[in-house]
Amino acid sequence: MAKVRFSVPRALTLLIVSSAAIAASSGLPGDHGRPFDGVMPANPPPPPAASAQHHEVRAPSMALALEAAQAIVAACKQYALGVTVVNAEGAPKLVYIPDGSDAGHGYMALRKAYTAVTFKVPTSQLVSRAREDQELGARIKADPNLLAFSGGLLLKVGDEIIGAIGVSGAEPGHHDEECGRVGLNRIKDRLK
């Protein structure tokens, strides 16, 4: 039987870190990146206190995230794109890759949404700033989860950031932000 090798895209690191960072430690295999090896500890530690188990992070509802993604895909159906919605900490809420789209656009969209939340601005504002500010440009290049391309838009309730939408693949012509605005405008008045 031939061996199959899998490679993990660098942007996936965000998914893994985010999941481990918000998971409460039970001491069981699988927590904090330890693989489950089929062997349960003889004396597992007691579960953490209820208050430590629940970490509330602002985010759009799944229904609104999906509605925004579907509106983007419908309005920009001429492009094979990917859409991602993240929470206020930049962790993925929804990665939407329509049939016929390259899955890589999902990772690019995730990086754009994460970047928007990290810098608290739409990523289109970072494009020229990263070129002009060498320190900012170096910071973005040093982190494989950041991306200074247009297509990352903030989701806000008042002045509070509750997440972001990222779009990738609306090419040629750099229409990622334009497509993202369709989804943002569809749901912005219903965000809580």
Side-chain angles (χ1 to χ4, degrees):
M1 178 189 275
K3 289 186 178 182
V4 178
R5 298 183 138 243
F6 294 97
S7 64
V8 178
R10 296 183 92 185
L12 187 57
T13 303
L14 172 67
L15 294 171
I16 295 167
V17 170
S18 296
S19 297
I22 62 173
S25 176
S26 67
L28 299 175
D31 283 353
H32 301 291
R34 293 179 15 227
F36 177 67
D37 56 11
V39 179
M40 298 297 285
N43 296 311
S51 62
Q53 288 183 11
H54 188 63
H55 176 67
E56 185 75 28
V57 178
R58 294 290 306 268
S61 69
M62 182 56 76
L64 288 180
L66 182 58
E67 184 179 338
Q70 289 173 329
I72 291 166
V73 170
C76 296
K77 60 185 168 215
Q78 68 272 34
Y79 305 114
L81 47 77
V83 179
T84 300
V85 178
V86 300
N87 69 15
E89 292 180 348
K93 176 80 176 188
L94 172 79
V95 176
Y96 191 84
I97 303 165
D99 293 339
S101 290
D102 184 325
H105 290 306
Y107 294 115
M108 295 292 280
L110 175 59
R111 291 172 66 196
K112 291 177 183 186
Y114 176 75
T115 302
V117 168
T118 299
F119 289 98
K120 300 176 180 16
V121 296
T123 55
S124 60
Q125 292 182 17
L126 293 174
V127 176
S128 60
R129 280 178 43 194
R131 275 191 230 122
E132 296 166 6
D133 182 341
Q134 291 181 355
E135 188 176 313
L136 176 64
R139 178 181 173 198
I140 291 170
K141 284 183 182 179
D143 186 338
N145 296 314
L146 298 174
L147 189 62
F149 292 164
S150 66
L153 299 164
L154 295 172
L155 297 172
K156 292 180 162 186
V157 174
D159 291 333
E160 183 181 4
I161 296 169
I162 67 159
I165 293 174
V167 177
S168 176
E171 300 294 338
H174 306 287
H175 295 287
D176 293 336
E177 185 168 326
E178 179 184 320
C179 292
R181 287 205 179 282
V182 172
L184 174 65
N185 291 335
R186 175 70 63 93
I187 65 170
K188 68 181 178 183
D189 295 334
R190 293 177 284 146
L191 293 172
K192 297 178 185 177

